[in-house]
Amino acid sequence: GKQLVAYLVPAPGSPAPARATLRAGLKHVLPDYMIPSVFVALEELPLTAHGKLDRRALPAPVPNLEPESEYQAPRTPVEAALAEVWAEVLGLERVGVGDNFFELGGDSILTIQVVSRARAAGLYFSSKELFVNQTISELAPVVKVLDADSASTEPVVGPVPLTPIQHWFFDTHTSNPHHFNQSVLADLTPVLDEGALERALGALLAHHDALRMRFERAEGHWRAHNAPVGDFAGTPLSRHDVSGLTEEDQHHAMVRIADEVHASFDLGAGPLLTAALFTRGAGRAPALFLAAHHAVVDGVSWRILLDDLDTAYQQIVSGEAADLGPKTTSFRDWAHRVGEFVASGRLDGELDYWVSASHAGESPLTAATPGPERATDSVTDGVSVRLSAEDTDALLRGAPAAYRTRINDVLLSALTWALSRRAGCRRVAIDLEGHGRDEIIDGADLSRTVGWFTTMFPVVLEVPEGFEPGDGAGPPWREVIRSVRRQLRGVPGNGFGYGALRYLGSPEARQRLADAGPGPQIGFNYLGQFDAAAREQGRGLYRAVHSSIGRNHDPAENGTHLVEVLGGVRDGRLGFSWLYQPGRVNPAGVRALAEDFAEALRGIARDCRGPR
């Protein structure tokens, strides 16, 4: 791999400037791709006998994944609050005001979490402002101090329009729409106040309006409304004592109970958030299983809910009333504003783009995984791949600095290469999922709003011209990532317009997109870092937060893609599950694709931290 390195000689008697200072100055005169990744200070430049620069005598740069700048302490209360929030979200001991958020491992989902936590601390800025001002010293001047009295805390009730992703769900999941959930399992503090936990769950239902949503089918259409706060019997917490069982039997019992919880949701009756508390006996912390119907939550929502449950629990245990602070834009108001935004015609210019992307949805998946091995398509199987902690750290913290890009670009570069290599073609089509909380609607603040905001949209990506996929050789990763990054930047509005036009657009727009075909048959969703953040182990309500248990979806409900690639970071390691329909796709081919993808990520990690 190659890297742009700058060698410099400080002025006599002066120390070498900090890297952040050098890069900040160069940003005014050079494009991003020409700004060096590494600066090496020398006492003098080596020269040949003829007085020219002796390039061969220049010392090799030492790889460095540490923050760009020397630690600079906060100087104002706003900077101090921002530094505390960044450190919590990124899982670091401290953050200096000159450190770059994205080069510390930040990503687009974590920006939302930073905005959310800052708001809870009385500070407001948008995700877009964080993308532009990537250090605390740059961000602090644009931060606004909130007036706590100006925000509404009243519950939202009444009819709620369906959002594009909810329309997609009800159109495509017809076998058993009641069973389509997301869930987490958390180890709790051994000294648990069960009454406080139950009251904290009630505080979540009262504060987050989307959790009180109900869905009913009438006259051939699904409709939604927010139930009043008191329109549910008690809090949705069940208690289960599994302490008399062995550890293995405890696990089996918990999975069985989780399956019962998953299958118990009723979209019309609610509640659509429920919990099961497991007592596991001496020496084992109690465990809390939380499940919610996907129609009212998404990956970002879980981060908000876990934080708020902890906050409310601590308040109640301390003898205070649960107070989750002022609300951001309600899910109902956002749904109304999306409909108005589409009706205004501001997305009409994207229609041809999305029709073309949908038509280009022929996937290389069939060629990459030829022939089913068995004839059933009633279940979904999976293959999992997981990277080492070292490779994960290189990708999260090294890649943004090395390639001047975001982690999602890196992941999609690896996926594009794996698909193209296995299928022997340069062009691949993928359905991408995004968090959907991009600042498209002016004035909307979704940083602390619970709901299902996900966007899903088709993209067509190519490996660079001249690179022959399938030859078995490792590609020049910088070239591949730069190409994929450029293509992704060409997607209008981060994909927001596709679903909006497909389900809320004019009759012509809806028909054209419906006629464009099923689109890509492989879906990709990176859920970000679940444990980069926040709560310290051994403190607060939680001891650890794990992935879900039980069957989130009804097994009779086939997926909308032949293969779904779902990934995230847990326990400091990046992992991906490749879920597939075995009656329609050859499992051996999926396993080969998954390993190619993992090997591509390992290759990029080596490229990030290796000598250049």
Side-chain angles (χ1 to χ4, degrees):
K2 296 182 179 180
Q3 188 177 34
L4 190 60
V5 179
Y7 292 88
L8 60 104
V9 177
S14 300
R19 289 185 297 156
T21 302
L22 292 166
R23 293 186 61 201
L26 290 174
K27 283 182 179 180
H28 296 294
V29 294
L30 293 175
D32 281 350
Y33 68 89
M34 290 185 66
I35 296 176
S37 301
V38 176
F39 295 89
V40 180
L42 303 174
E43 291 185 2
E44 60 182 13
L45 294 175
L47 302 177
T48 67
H50 301 288
K52 296 182 178 180
L53 179 66
D54 186 354
R55 294 176 180 270
R56 293 185 179 183
L58 291 170
V62 177
N64 185 359
L65 299 183
E66 294 302 312
E68 279 290 306
S69 60
E70 297 297 326
Y71 174 73
Q72 301 173 46
R75 298 155 296 190
T76 67
V78 169
E79 288 185 346
L82 290 175
E84 182 177 352
V85 168
W86 284 27
E88 288 178 351
V89 171
L90 294 167
L92 301 173
E93 289 188 9
R94 67 179 187 179
V95 174
V97 298
D99 297 340
N100 185 290
F101 179 77
F102 296 97
E103 293 175 8
L104 292 176
D107 58 35
S108 62
I109 292 178
L110 291 182
T111 63
I112 299 171
Q113 201 168 355
V114 165
V115 171
S116 172
R117 294 194 177 209
R119 186 181 182 92
L123 304 176
Y124 175 73
F125 54 92
S126 66
S127 295
K128 186 180 297 183
E129 286 170 326
L130 178 51
F131 273 106
V132 173
N133 305 283
Q134 298 182 5
T135 67
I136 289 173
S137 62
E138 294 170 339
L139 180 63
V142 305
V143 170
K144 301 177 181 65
V145 178
L146 293 173
D147 178 2
D149 297 330
S150 65
S152 171
T153 58
E154 294 300 313
V156 174
V157 299
V160 182
L162 294 185
T163 60
I165 194 65
Q166 290 173 333
H167 277 288
W168 167 85
F169 167 70
F170 286 117
D171 278 1
T172 56
H173 292 71
T174 56
S175 295
N176 184 7
H178 301 279
H179 187 176
F180 189 75
N181 313 323
Q182 290 190 324
S183 59
V184 297
L185 179 70
D187 296 336
L188 304 183
T189 173
V191 187
L192 179 68
D193 185 331
E194 294 186 15
L197 176 63
E198 190 166 20
R199 290 169 60 192
L201 286 166
L204 292 188
L205 289 169
H207 184 81
H208 294 293
D209 305 299
L211 299 181
R212 303 192 312 278
M213 289 180 73
R214 306 288 186 266
F215 300 86
E216 297 175 340
R217 187 171 175 83
E219 300 177 355
H221 300 284
W222 283 91
R223 297 173 181 170
H225 71 278
N226 272 11
V229 172
D231 191 22
F232 54 89
T235 54
L237 178 67
S238 60
R239 294 170 172 83
H240 309 272
D241 188 347
V242 296
S243 58
L245 304 176
T246 66
E247 186 171 337
E248 182 178 358
D249 287 342
Q250 282 186 7
H251 175 74
H252 291 314
M254 290 166 64
V255 170
R256 176 181 56 78
I257 293 168
D259 281 336
E260 293 172 358
V261 171
H262 281 306
S264 68
F265 284 107
D266 183 327
L267 287 166
L272 299 185
L273 170 74
T274 190
L277 179 64
F278 297 100
T279 303
R280 297 188 287 187
R284 298 208 71 198
L288 181 67
F289 173 71
L290 283 170
H293 196 282
H294 201 344
V296 300
V297 295
D298 54 19
V300 175
S301 296
W302 280 108
R303 293 164 170 84
I304 299 169
L305 290 174
L306 289 172
D307 278 353
D308 282 1
L309 181 61
D310 188 15
T311 298
Y313 175 82
Q314 298 296 340
Q315 290 170 337
I316 294 168
V317 165
S318 300
E320 305 171 12
D323 181 4
L324 297 178
K327 294 184 177 183
T328 48
T329 303
S330 72
F331 187 83
R332 180 198 63 183
D333 290 351
W334 184 82
H336 276 295
R337 294 180 65 180
V338 170
E340 295 167 356
F341 187 82
V342 177
S344 72
R346 294 172 65 180
L347 294 174
D348 291 353
E350 297 181 11
L351 181 58
D352 288 343
Y353 176 94
W354 293 119
V355 170
S356 176
S358 301
H359 275 306
E362 282 300 320
S363 171
L365 203 58
T366 303
T369 60
E373 288 184 353
R374 57 186 188 270
T376 178
D377 61 359
S378 60
V379 295
T380 299
D381 284 352
V383 174
S384 295
V385 294
R386 203 166 182 218
L387 300 188
S388 68
E390 183 184 22
D391 286 342
T392 298
D393 187 71
L395 291 171
L396 294 181
R397 294 179 170 84
Y403 305 124
R404 301 290 182 268
T405 194
R406 304 167 193 168
I407 184 61
N408 221 45
D409 302 338
V410 173
L411 300 176
L412 285 167
S413 297
L415 181 62
T416 301
W417 176 79
L419 286 169
S420 64
R421 176 177 183 267
R422 188 61 53 175
C425 62
R426 290 180 54 220
R427 185 179 173 91
V428 300
I430 305 167
D431 252 354
L432 291 189
E433 288 193 37
H435 56 68
R437 296 169 187 249
D438 303 284
E439 289 153 8
I440 303 294
I441 309 296
D442 291 339
D445 177 8
L446 305 178
S447 60
R448 287 191 39 77
T449 305
V450 167
W452 195 8
F453 295 93
T454 303
T455 53
M456 187 181 300
F457 53 97
V459 296
V460 181
L461 299 174
E462 295 182 357
V463 294
E465 188 174 0
F467 168 63
E468 294 297 332
D471 61 5
W477 288 118
R478 184 173 299 274
E479 182 182 349
V480 173
I481 292 169
R482 181 182 298 149
S483 173
V484 169
R485 177 186 63 189
R486 183 174 59 250
Q487 295 171 67
L488 289 172
R489 297 299 182 270
V491 176
N494 283 340
F496 174 83
Y498 174 76
L501 290 168
R502 173 71 178 83
Y503 296 104
L504 303 179
S506 66
E508 177 196 1
R510 296 199 300 270
Q511 190 63 53
R512 287 185 63 190
L513 288 170
D515 291 343
Q521 290 302 296
I522 183 166
F524 179 81
N525 186 12
Y526 174 62
L527 297 171
Q529 303 173 57
F530 283 89
D531 57 356
R535 65 194 60 83
E536 299 179 25
Q537 298 296 315
R539 300 182 62 181
L541 177 61
Y542 310 110
R543 291 298 174 269
V545 178
H546 309 287
S547 56
S548 62
I549 59 174
R551 195 179 288 274
N552 281 331
H553 304 163
D554 189 324
E557 194 79 73
N558 289 326
T560 54
H561 299 99
L562 294 180
V563 173
E564 295 271 0
V565 185
L566 309 176
V569 178
R570 286 190 183 275
D571 301 322
R573 297 178 62 186
L574 180 63
F576 285 87
S577 295
W578 288 62
L579 307 178
Y580 61 91
Q581 299 181 27
R584 303 174 63 188
V585 179
N586 185 341
V590 176
R591 286 192 292 271
L593 272 173
E595 187 50 46
D596 280 352
F597 174 62
E599 187 52 42
L601 292 176
R602 295 184 188 108
I604 295 172
R606 288 192 298 270
D607 189 59
C608 287
R609 63 172 178 263
R612 300 178 185 279

